[in-house]
């Protein structure tokens, strides 16, 4: 695989000049307003829509939204769905929206539902993993977060004392992980990338401190009819982590600053789909994201 990246000196971490050079290379490739806000506006008849903050990058301003159950009940458990933590992961954003459009009403009798469809709208528009400061939001869910994308949703949940019982964070992996983001990360950090594995199919990342293996298994079984589950590599791993059961690996969510460590929810998982696979397509990947949330809620409704 190609380690070369056109910014910086190999082995030397980026400073402000290199980060500015990287930022200057980015350009808008799709529209958050048309793709996301327009669909959120159509949900206002059935759900409450709240603005929880605004990102201002250069001349661009991005309002941030959550979509909530209209009749919030203190006697019900709460589910949080997040998408677009990595803005370039398209099915995370559109899966969250499609869940609201098609599936969420089926679960309002059992759950309060709150969905943040696109935490990183600048990343969505420029098809980027990072924010404009070359910070990865999905390593920044921690106190005094270096990413406003993280701090704003953390502050919102804290202010409104929302403590989810279920949290599903929707992600995907694309071929640009190897062509762009892994080489860029190595260049930014002054390191050498050694893991080029891209799992071919759907898989989950469980929180090692709250693994709930039966919960993870229930999601995998719900997704199976929609799209294929990623097999382990020759070492029994996915992206370098041991596969603990079919289609499931584990990370330390809070320790790594991942979005799945955002709350203390008992049932938590991160989804991953691979739309560049020859065995699926982007529409199927959105359907798989919705199926994953459905499987999570069907299991949790019985367990909580």
């Amino acid at each position: 695989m190609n380690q070369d990246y056109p910014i910086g000196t190999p082995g030397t971490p980026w400073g402000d000049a290199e980060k500015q050079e990287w930022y200057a290379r980015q350009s808008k490739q799709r529209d958050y307003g048309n793709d996301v806000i327009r669909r959120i506006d159509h949900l206002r008849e059935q759900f409450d829509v709240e603005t929880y903050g605004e990102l201002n990058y250069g001349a661009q301003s991005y309002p941030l939204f959550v979509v909530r159950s209209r009749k919030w009940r203190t006697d019900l458990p709460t589910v949080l769905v997040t998408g677009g933590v990595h803005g370039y992961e398209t099915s995370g954003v559109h899966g969250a929206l499609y869940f609201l459009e098609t599936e969420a009403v089926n679960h309002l009798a059992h759950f309060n539902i709150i969905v943040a469809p696109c935490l990183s709208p600048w990343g969505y528009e420029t098809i980027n993993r990072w924010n404009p400061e070359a910070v990865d939001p999905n390593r920044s869910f921690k106190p005094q977060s270096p990413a406003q994308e993280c701090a704003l949703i953390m502050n919102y949940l804290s202010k409104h004392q929302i403590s989810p019982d279920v949290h599903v964070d929707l992600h995907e992996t694309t071929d640009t992980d190897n062509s762009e983001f892994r080489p860029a990360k190595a260049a930014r950090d002054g390191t050498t990338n050694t893991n080029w594995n891209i799992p071919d199919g759907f898989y989950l990342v469980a929180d090692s401190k709250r693994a709930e293996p039966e919960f993870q298994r229930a999601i995998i079984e719900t997704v199976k009819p929609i799209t294929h589950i990623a097999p382990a590599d020759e070492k029994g791993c996915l992206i370098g982590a041991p596969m603990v059961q079919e289609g499931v690996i584990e990370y330390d969510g809070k320790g790594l600053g991942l979005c799945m460590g955002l709350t203390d929810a008992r049932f938590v998982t991160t989804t991953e789909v691979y739309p560049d696979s020859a065995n699926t397509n982007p529409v199927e990947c959105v359907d798989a994201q919705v199926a994953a949330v459905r499987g999570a809620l069907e299991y949790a409704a019985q367990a909580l």
Side-chain angles (χ1 to χ4, degrees), residues 38-91:
R38 180 180 57 84
R39 289 174 70 181
I40 290 173
D41 284 340
H42 289 161
L43 293 163
R44 292 179 185 271
E45 290 186 8
Q46 287 186 298
F47 298 94
D48 287 340
V49 176
E50 297 182 5
T51 304
Y52 67 89
E54 185 173 88
L55 296 169
N56 294 287
Y57 290 127
Q60 297 299 312
S61 178
Y62 302 96
L64 299 164
F65 298 95
V66 292
V67 183
R68 296 178 46 154
S69 306
R70 177 147 291 159
K71 297 179 180 179
W72 199 268
R73 292 172 48 185
T74 57
D75 60 317
L76 291 182
T78 296
V79 56
L80 170 66
V81 178
T82 46
V85 176
H86 290 146
Y88 78 104
E89 297 176 8
T90 307
S91 71

Side-chain angles (χ1 to χ4, degrees), residues 3 35 58 61 84 203 242 249 255 258 280:
Q3 294 278 358
D35 296 357
S61 178
Y203 68 99
I249 61 173
L258 304 180
T280 190

Side-chain angles (χ1 to χ4, degrees), residues 19 22 86 129-140 145-150 188:
K19 292 176 183 178
W22 174 83
H86 290 146
R129 183 184 185 93
W130 298 338
N131 73 11
E133 277 109 36
V135 171
D136 186 340
N138 205 38
R139 295 297 185 275
S140 303
S145 175
Q148 279 294 299
E149 291 84 353
C150 306
R188 183 196 65 181

Side-chain angles (χ1 to χ4, degrees), residues 129 139 173 177 182 195-200 203-205 231-233 236-243 249-251 272:
R129 183 184 185 93
R139 295 297 185 275
T173 304
D177 280 30
R182 284 167 171 169
N195 176 27
W196 300 96
N197 175 245
I198 293 181
D200 186 354
Y203 68 99
L204 296 173
V205 184
D233 65 15
C237 295
L238 296 171
I239 60 169
M243 195 163 75
I249 61 173
E250 295 180 358
Y251 277 4
E272 293 282 357

Side-chain angles (χ1 to χ4, degrees), residues 205-273:
V205 184
D207 191 316
S208 58
K209 303 292 176 58
R210 300 169 287 173
E212 296 287 347
E214 293 304 317
F215 169 69
Q216 313 295 338
R217 183 173 292 113
I219 297 172
I220 292 292
E221 292 301 321
T222 307
V223 171
K224 272 184 178 179
I226 309 297
T227 195
H228 62 295
I229 307 304
D233 65 15
E234 66 278 0
K235 297 180 180 179
C237 295
L238 296 171
I239 60 169
M243 195 163 75
V244 296
Q245 61 169 299
E246 183 184 16
V248 182
I249 61 173
E250 295 180 358
Y251 277 4
D252 178 3
K254 289 184 182 293
L256 292 170
L258 304 180
C259 185
M260 70 173 174
L262 168 62
T263 77
D264 293 319
R266 174 183 170 187
F267 296 113
V268 60
T269 199
T270 299
T271 67
E272 293 282 357
V273 295

